[in-house]
Every structure is written in C-alpha cells, then in structure tokens.
Amino acid sequence: MTDAAGRDQEAVSKFVESFAAQLVEAGMQRMPARIFAALLSSDEGAMTSAELGEQLRISPAAVSGGVRYLAQQHMVSREREPGSRRERYRVHSNQWYEALTNREAVIKRWEGALREGVGSLGADTPAGRRMAETLAFFEFVDDEIAAMMERWRVHREELFGS
C-alpha cells in the first residue's frame, strides 16, 4: 500500500521501527523513540496524537507520555492546529542541535557538582583526584561542544541556507 506521496507504507513503517531500535540501543526509551522516528519520517514533520496512535498502533496515553519525554529533551514541540483545540507535535530541522545544547546545560550542572566534590574530598586525596579528572573531562567536552556547534551552524548554512 502506498501513501499520498507514493511511498510504500510498509517500508516507511520498517524504517520507523528500525531507526527507533537504534535510538533505544543508544539509551532512549522505546515509545519516545518510535514517536520521534515517526515524526522525523513524516513529510510535514508534524502529526496529531491520533495520527501517531494510528501509525504506530499505540494508545493516546502512550503518545502523551512519549511526547512529554521528547518535549523535555527539546526534541519535539507542541503546537495548536489553527482553529482547533487539537495539538500537533512537531520535530524541527534543528532538533539535534537543540538536544545537544540541552545536554550542554546538564554538563554545566555536573561541572558544578564535581567542583564541589573536589572541594569536599580534598584535591590531594585519591577520590579528589578522580573527581578533578572527571571535572577536567567535562570541561574539555563542554568547550569542544561549543566549538563544534559553531562549526555546525556555519556548515548547516552552507548546505541548507538560513
């Protein structure tokens, strides 16, 4: 069976489940992974709860829980359909950038906690040295992410325009 764009719906479904499985393997929860893959593979990049439920054969509660998780991770946003009370869930072209930027905030919080740990444990103790090395690693990663994100902005503009 083909959709309006002439795509084989079974092939699309296989892709959604395959990509979702890869996301699960990387640590994402199964239902949000399936929802994200379905949104990413839709032409509009947006679907209603009913559309997601129908495509993925899941309950409205499963859609709601999965979308809540994805919104917290800045991977999807909610928007109202014009003239309707129904919400559509949208994945944006820069969702990976947003998700990684959100991780950067987490790393900053970890750095603060690790600094406190080094101070509490004492920098000259084995545990304090381990904390200091962990802190140095996250400071390095934080700097690298910032530089990488700037390179990505330039590269994205070259590939896709603004």
Side-chain angles (χ1 to χ4, degrees):
M1 183 189 291
T2 59
D3 63 12
R7 285 182 291 251
D8 179 346
Q9 288 178 329
E10 187 175 326
V12 171
S13 182
K14 283 181 181 179
F15 163 76
V16 166
E17 296 304 326
S18 172
F19 188 56
Q22 295 296 315
L23 293 171
V24 168
E25 193 172 304
M28 187 183 281
Q29 299 169 9
R30 184 171 182 270
M31 198 56 62
R34 292 181 71 215
I35 291 168
F36 182 74
L39 288 169
L40 193 62
S41 67
S42 70
D43 279 340
E44 289 185 19
M47 299 171 80
T48 65
S49 179
E51 291 167 337
L52 284 164
E54 182 179 328
Q55 179 177 334
L56 300 173
R57 295 182 180 95
I58 58 176
S59 70
V63 172
S64 178
V67 167
R68 185 178 325 107
Y69 172 86
L70 292 167
Q72 289 170 346
Q73 302 304 312
H74 304 281
M75 295 180 76
V76 301
S77 61
R78 298 170 193 250
E79 56 188 40
R80 291 262 182 219
E81 285 188 331
S84 172
R85 291 177 33 153
R86 291 186 351 177
E87 286 187 330
R88 293 177 62 80
Y89 307 109
R90 177 171 301 281
V91 64
H92 297 282
S93 61
N94 64 346
Q95 76 276 351
W96 299 112
Y97 176 88
E98 292 297 327
L100 195 53
T101 300
N102 185 48
R103 294 284 184 244
E104 194 176 10
V106 170
I107 290 171
K108 287 281 191 208
R109 289 195 305 271
W110 290 351
E111 288 174 9
L114 288 164
R115 264 188 213 89
E116 188 176 311
V118 170
S120 298
L121 296 167
D124 295 333
T125 67
R129 282 192 297 278
R130 226 178 4 262
M131 287 285 165
E133 184 177 342
T134 303
L135 172 59
F137 171 78
F138 282 115
E139 288 171 337
F140 175 82
V141 167
D142 190 32
D143 289 344
E144 290 297 308
I145 287 173
M148 180 182 64
M149 297 309 269
E150 181 55 36
R151 288 191 311 273
W152 167 247
R153 279 190 288 276
V154 170
H155 184 68
R156 181 176 185 259
E157 175 119 357
E158 289 170 357
L159 290 175
F160 303 105
S162 52

